[in-house]
Structure formats: structure tokens, C-alpha cells
Amino acid sequence: MKQTGKLDYLEMSATGGTLDSVKAFYSAAFSWSFIDYGPTYAAFDEGLDGGFQAESTEASGKPLPVLYSENLEETLEAVENAGGKIVKPIFSFPGGRRFHFTDPAGNELAVWGE
């Protein structure tokens, strides 16, 4: 069950290689399977859902923890009130909406909602 504030998704960059080579590696090493969402994104569900982003303008270059929220606007306000810095305001993507923020240590995370 999805809950506000719980780790829900992990997005990682595939820009250091090709999307096909990253998928081949994880398939061979760990028997992962993927669902392709266009030519630059492949998702996985291997204990914790996640995906690889091959579009360099979309990839952060580092793993991106993604939290879930039942109310995106309330969570954005809570992040700001707690001292987080919004680096990408709420935007739509296939499957929902999300925003990105940095924590006080500079770690970038995202929060998504339906």
C-alpha cells in the first residue's frame, strides 16, 4: 500500500552507457526484466520499483529516490517548510505528477502522486 513519505520508486541514470547495455547487464547479472516506455526509458519491478533514464537532459546522473504522496501540493509545502529547496516544480509525466527537491545535505529526491 502506498503511503505518504515512504520510498516508492528509484530512478537511475543510464547515460553512462546505452539503455540496451544497462538492461542487458541487469538482466544477465540479476535476472531483472524491463518494460520499455519509449526509446529512452525502461522500468523495472525488482523488490522496489524503479527505472533507468537514458535521455541525458532528463537524467540526474545520480540515483533519484522517489517518494509517494497522496496530496502533492501539501507535500511540496511540507518540504519547503522543513527547509527543502524545490528544484523542479510540480510537472506531469506518464503516470502522474511529481516535483524534485534537494534536502539540506544537497541530495536530490522527487515526490510523485497520481
Side-chain angles (χ1 to χ4, degrees), residues 11 15 40 53-61 64 88 91 98 100:
E11 194 166 271
T15 60
T40 65
Q53 176 60 264
E55 176 59 51
S56 62
T57 60
E58 296 291 325
S60 68
L64 179 68
K88 287 186 183 179
F91 63 94
R98 75 184 197 192
H100 293 207

Side-chain angles (χ1 to χ4, degrees), residues 6-84:
K6 299 298 181 188
L7 187 61
D8 186 64
Y9 200 84
L10 178 65
E11 194 166 271
M12 296 184 287
S13 172
T15 60
T18 66
L19 186 57
D20 287 340
S21 69
V22 171
K23 288 170 32 181
F25 169 78
Y26 282 96
S27 292
F30 303 107
S31 300
W32 285 15
S33 59
F34 296 89
I35 298 171
D36 292 330
Y37 290 101
T40 65
Y41 199 90
F44 56 84
D45 178 4
E46 301 296 338
L48 173 67
D49 288 353
F52 287 100
Q53 176 60 264
E55 176 59 51
S56 62
T57 60
E58 296 291 325
S60 68
K62 299 177 185 175
L64 179 68
V66 182
L67 309 174
Y68 178 77
S69 173
E70 293 175 5
N71 187 315
L72 212 51
E73 288 76 13
E74 282 182 10
T75 302
L76 185 142
E77 185 177 340
V79 165
E80 289 180 315
N81 290 341

